[in-house]
Amino acid sequence: MKQMHGLDVDPLTDIAICCGQSEAFAATMFAIINPGDEVILFDPSYETYETCIKMAGGVPVYVSLDPPHWNLGRRLYKKLLVIGWAIAPACFASAIRNIHIKVTDSAPAPFQEAALVALTSPLEYFESLRKDYESKRNYIVELLLRVGFQLHMKPKGSFFVFAELPASCVLSDIEFVEELIKQAGVVAVPGCGFFHTNQSSDKFSQAAFSYQKKYIRFAFCKSDATLYSVQKN
């Protein structure tokens, strides 16, 4: 952590090892949220965050990001908490571990062995892995652009692409995904599931958030053979 991310943490007290990021997030919410606490989330956001917060008794408060670059525009917000993995001050990490033990007890032994191999691998391995994912990302981005999708930025820390449907497309995100499965055998995720701020039945409000039905999420964490086969379809 110190070498790669500049984080000075005590591995014995400041880290809670969980079964992946989703469980780490859930355990963190149960550990630190009191009933009625408000938790700030960006919108769009990962679909499980809202459920975890509500189950812990918290109240999600969404900060809408401005499409197509998904930034805060002119708005200014302070003290936004973003949790990637369960590294926290010892008092919080201890609480997270207590929740983790009650939820999943421990990560499966094969996963722990794999994590040990990863953590002891040389930095050259991670650089090679980064280049491999970068190549996959560039391939899927170029493919989507060729068929008319609109991409306003390349992902830099994820293996997902959040692409806007072609301007000429009259289908909603859900309708497009259904047709994509039928006609090309390709499975993607409708973008509407990642938005939460359009809860109003007011027609003007719905019009303002109509862009939420125009995005599709594609994953490029696939083998090269799988990615290349998409182009044939």
Side-chain angles (χ1 to χ4, degrees), residues 195-211:
F195 294 100
H196 306 82
T197 49
N198 182 20
Q199 304 295 333
S200 173
S201 60
D202 181 81
K203 291 184 178 180
F204 292 103
S205 176
Q206 291 180 355
F209 290 99
S210 61
Y211 65 85

Side-chain angles (χ1 to χ4, degrees), residues 172-192:
S172 70
D173 55 343
I174 294 177
E175 293 169 338
F176 184 89
V177 166
E178 291 175 344
E179 289 300 314
L180 190 63
I181 295 172
K182 295 175 183 177
Q183 298 187 25
V186 174
V187 179
V189 178
C192 61

